[in-house]
């Protein structure tokens, strides 16, 4: 295995995300693909104001390191939480949730998918405007 | 489990490291302790010029994201490599290695210990000045 790979840490936006798992303008800078040795994947994700993931869950869990800006995080059935630069969020396996920017701020986090040998993200419905703006 | 914890990302130096697993001046900002769910631990480590880890290996492997400065990385029996801001290094399990700053630069990396359910770091001898300055 080639143990040294070149990524773009920190904070280059990377590529515009064009799939339907997100609402709004989102960039992904993929830092480390998973492998059968380390069992994690790592990406820096930047959300323009108003942008967010769909509802989703991770079979193996995820950890978010908020590296710039201010965003939102919500687990199904719980209140929306504000997440600021410097905060670390642990998303346990199989807990439905979403994350993204606030309506006014851009937010970047490093997302670490854990236990990828168990499985990755399972994508669900978009977060509606009504859900996103509920306080 | 409390899924939202406050860390200090990015780049606050954290606490001065006072144990004998390092040479020189090193700070550790512990971002996420391991748990039995995610099986990773995460810390931001800052090395003053000349500072470095001891030789060591990880039973479950490690991934480094160089977030500031310029450093050095060496696996036993291989040449010393320069690692720059933006580089990602995967250290496979049980491969003896060390990392640290260059003699002239400060270097910060986020260190992600992987598969912590298998085990953590095993610390060995200091990197001698002769080893550190060998090119």
């Amino acid at each position: 295995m080639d143990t040294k790979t070149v990524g773009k840490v920190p904070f280059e936006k990377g590529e515009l995300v064009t799939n339907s798992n997100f609402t709004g303008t989102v960039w992904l800078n993929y830092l480390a693909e998973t492998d059968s040795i380390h069992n994690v994947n790592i990406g820096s994700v930047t959300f323009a104001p108003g942008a967010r993931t769909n509802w989703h869950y991770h079979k193996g869990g995820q950890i978010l390191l908020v590296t710039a800006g201010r965003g939102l995080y919500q687990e199904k059935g719980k209140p929306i939480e504000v997440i600021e630069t410097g905060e670390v969020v642990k998303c346990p396996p199989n807990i439905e949730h979403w994350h993204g920017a606030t309506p006014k701020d851009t937010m970047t986090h490093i997302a670490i998918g854990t236990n990828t040998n168990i499985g990755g993200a399972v994508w669900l419905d978009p977060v509606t405007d009504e859900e996103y703006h509920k306080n």
Side-chain angles (χ1 to χ4, degrees), chain A residues 11-81:
Chain A
F11 313 147
E12 287 191 28
K13 281 183 175 171
E15 305 296 323
L16 201 60
V17 174
T18 57
N19 67 50
S20 59
N21 298 328
F22 296 81
T23 296
T25 304
V26 178
W27 296 265
L28 171 63
N29 175 357
Y30 214 54
L31 302 176
E33 297 200 39
T34 193
D35 61 54
S36 60
I37 294 170
H38 294 88
N39 298 313
V40 303
N41 59 30
I42 308 171
S44 180
V45 189
T46 298
F47 299 84
R52 65 266 189 182
T53 68
N54 284 11
W55 287 101
H56 65 288
Y57 62 90
H58 304 268
K59 290 188 177 173
Q62 186 184 51
I63 299 177
L64 306 175
L65 312 178
V66 184
T67 52
R70 199 156 173 270
L72 302 173
Y73 173 80
Q74 184 180 27
E75 295 179 3
K76 197 86 172 180
K78 295 188 181 178
I80 296 173
E81 295 187 75

Side-chain angles (χ1 to χ4, degrees), chain A residues 96-114:
Chain A
E96 204 172 318
H97 68 282
W98 65 269
H99 28 112
T102 72
K104 293 186 176 174
D105 303 289
T106 296
M107 189 271 284
T108 301
H109 62 48
I110 293 176
I112 302 168
T114 52

